[in-house]
Amino acid sequence: MGTLEYFQVESTEPAGGELYRRIASTVITDHDILRVLDRLRIFIDPEVPIFIAVGITRTVPRNVIVRDFAGITYDGDKVILSIADETYLAPLLELLWRRFGKERIVQPDRFTIEMHLNTEEREGIEEIVVADPTEGLFRDLIYTMQVICPEGFKVKKQSFQNGKFWFVASENTLQEDVTPLVEEQFSIMGEGS
């Protein structure tokens, strides 16, 4: 398991900041988020009240496409997929059923899918995106930040783009544009937003 290159929790109340550092460390470990985080900074001001977390993720694997885990053979109007890794079999079947209809997809065994497709339909089969690793990453990061932030901080805003994320929460209404708050925390961490 990797370690965070940069991990800081700051609070206007030093004792509370240290407590939240321990909470954040435990939650990040328990939720297995450490593997995707490179840098993280959390700022808490209970007087305002506001909780701000900014971070940078490690490089996330690219989208998983059909040719990454299946061999493709063409036999007339039949396309045969030989599955080498079952990890993505269920989502692949769902995609194929939606795209071509269940009646045209046959699975004679665990490792084979046969489809009857015309020439136009066969184009790009090997490039169909079956899984996007970033989909679950953002959901998991935000859930982790929700667990870390103080209870009662129900007003939340968040973003995840290009390997950077931020999460802002408060008991009160947040200002419409939280960008200056987020940019300040990225700047303290040594990163531009």
Side-chain angles (χ1 to χ4, degrees):
M1 180 181 296
T3 59
L4 286 171
E5 177 185 314
Y6 180 96
F7 175 50
Q8 182 181 29
V9 177
E10 181 185 340
S11 176
T12 54
E13 293 181 4
E18 182 53 38
L19 177 63
Y20 266 96
R21 179 174 174 66
R22 288 195 308 259
I23 291 169
S25 181
T26 300
V27 171
I28 288 167
T29 303
D30 288 352
H31 290 226
D32 199 25
I33 295 297
L34 188 57
R35 63 186 165 76
V36 296
L37 280 178
D38 190 44
R39 307 182 85 183
L40 177 65
R41 175 176 167 72
I42 296 172
F43 174 76
I44 306 164
D45 186 343
E47 292 298 316
V48 171
I50 195 155
F51 174 93
I52 305 169
V54 298
I56 298 172
T57 59
R58 299 178 197 275
T59 303
V60 178
R62 64 178 175 76
N63 289 343
V64 176
I65 58 176
V66 171
R67 73 171 167 196
D68 289 338
F69 64 93
I72 303 166
T73 308
Y74 300 96
D75 183 14
D77 73 337
K78 189 188 294 185
V79 178
I80 303 166
L81 300 179
S82 300
I83 308 299
D85 179 0
E86 290 180 272
T87 305
Y88 302 104
L89 180 59
L92 174 61
L93 283 168
E94 289 289 328
L95 285 166
L96 296 174
W97 291 337
R98 263 195 318 254
R99 191 169 184 173
F100 304 114
K102 280 188 175 184
E103 67 283 352
R104 297 172 65 198
I105 311 298
V106 177
Q107 188 180 13
D109 61 58
R110 284 178 34 194
F111 301 103
T112 308
I113 297 174
E114 296 177 356
M115 304 175 286
H116 294 279
L117 307 175
N118 65 42
T119 305
E120 290 174 5
E121 292 172 321
R122 294 190 321 178
E123 283 192 38
I125 291 288
E126 61 276 346
E127 299 297 324
I128 293 174
V129 175
V130 179
D132 178 357
T134 61
E135 287 176 4
L137 171 63
F138 180 62
R139 182 190 66 241
D140 294 347
L141 280 171
I142 296 308
Y143 179 73
T144 300
M145 294 306 121
Q146 288 174 337
V147 171
I148 295 170
C149 86
E151 193 169 322
F153 281 41
K154 302 293 184 201
V155 181
K156 300 170 181 142
K157 293 184 180 186
Q158 66 266 335
S159 176
F160 179 69
Q161 291 182 326
N162 302 322
K164 290 185 175 184
F165 72 92
W166 56 263
F167 176 86
V168 180
S170 179
E171 288 179 344
N172 304 329
T173 303
L174 289 167
Q175 60 194 48
E176 187 64 33
D177 184 12
V178 295
T179 305
L181 300 170
V182 169
E183 287 177 349
E184 179 183 9
Q185 296 308 312
F186 271 118
S187 178
I188 291 169
M189 189 171 66
E191 291 288 327
S193 63

